[in-house]
Amino acid sequence: LLTLMFTLICASAFAQFKEIADPKKHLADHNAWDKIQSGIQFSFIDPDFGVSKHNVLTKEINKTWKADAWAGETVNTQLAVWTKDGKFDNSVLELSISDLKSDRHRISKNYIQFAPISFVISDDPSKLKSACGINVILDSTLVADRILNSNTFTFNSKETRPLWLSITVPQDAKPGIYKGEIKVKIKSSKQTKE
């Protein structure tokens, strides 16, 4: 049994993929953004939790993530990134990961996949009364759903961005507590932050 731990390190950086405009952006609680602290915010979140693009994350802030895994097993989680600061509009974030290290052993970062999750347009399934047919009044919404094959993405203020972290523990991994770091570089059109 292995215990994996990550500590988040903020730095600065790059992106591609164009998302569709949010048809419900006007319904977001824009005043909630004024109540959070300045700067880029990060938190590990439950992989089953759906992030809203234009609302402030209301979950508990977790700067570390811990998971138990067997050799050959894959474990996953999400990381959310957000800010209220307009100086980060049109920024590009780049993700990098260290090897996982225990007292005597190492798991190469090649076993770790880390990618942004993009938002796609969807009918709001919470409004379906049955699984058959699409109601003509069914409203469209953005959902975080598509894992991109990239380690960079575009970032704007007053947006919450989900990121997917997946670790496949090698078959020959030795038992122990392994620790690693995630670095996020932010390259703004207005400034660069390391």
Side-chain angles (χ1 to χ4, degrees):
L1 185 62
L2 304 173
T3 300
L4 308 172
M5 293 181 66
F6 271 99
T7 302
L8 184 64
I9 294 181
C10 177
S12 299
F14 320 98
Q16 36 283 13
F17 188 73
K18 177 89 170 146
E19 290 178 341
I20 192 162
D22 186 352
K24 293 187 176 179
K25 183 177 180 177
H26 65 283
L27 298 176
D29 182 0
H30 298 287
N31 293 327
W33 288 102
D34 297 330
K35 297 174 185 172
I36 65 171
Q37 68 184 43
S38 292
I40 302 286
Q41 307 299 313
F42 300 92
S43 181
F44 286 101
I45 57 175
D46 185 320
D48 295 326
F49 178 71
V51 173
S52 172
K53 184 174 183 177
H54 291 105
N55 285 302
V56 174
L57 187 68
T58 57
K59 297 286 185 182
E60 177 183 340
I61 306 299
N62 297 303
K63 296 290 184 183
T64 60
W65 174 64
K66 180 179 176 181
D68 294 329
W70 295 97
E73 184 178 7
T74 300
V75 290
N76 305 289
T77 194
Q78 285 187 90
L79 174 68
V81 181
W82 68 95
T83 187
K84 69 177 184 178
D85 302 333
K87 67 184 177 185
F88 292 110
D89 282 345
N90 297 314
S91 294
V92 179
L93 274 66
E94 178 181 32
L95 312 172
S96 64
I97 304 160
S98 71
D99 289 344
L100 299 175
K101 299 173 190 171
S102 71
D103 289 338
R104 296 183 186 159
H105 305 286
R106 176 182 302 246
I107 296 175
S108 168
K109 64 183 175 185
N110 295 334
Y111 289 95
I112 305 168
Q113 300 293 318
F114 200 12
I117 302 172
S118 66
F119 289 89
V120 298
I121 198 83
S122 174
D123 292 323
D124 188 348
S126 67
K127 300 215 187 321
L128 287 174
K129 302 255 190 260
S130 72
C132 297
I134 299 294
N135 186 329
V136 294
I137 63 168
L138 196 61
D139 207 1
S140 293
T141 190
L142 280 186
V143 294
D145 186 55
R146 182 175 178 228
I147 299 174
L148 300 175
N149 187 17
S150 174
N151 66 347
T152 63
F153 63 99
T154 303
F155 182 71
N156 288 299
S157 64
K158 299 185 179 178
E159 287 184 359
T160 302
R161 303 303 311 202
L163 311 166
W164 190 253
L165 173 66
S166 180
I167 302 170
T168 300
V169 180
Q171 288 286 349
D172 61 351
K174 304 296 183 208
I177 296 175
Y178 290 78
K179 296 181 181 183
E181 296 178 337
I182 298 168
K183 293 184 181 182
V184 181
K185 289 186 175 185
I186 304 155
K187 184 175 183 180
S188 171
S189 60
K190 298 175 186 171
Q191 72 175 28
T192 298
K193 170 103 176 134
E194 288 264 350

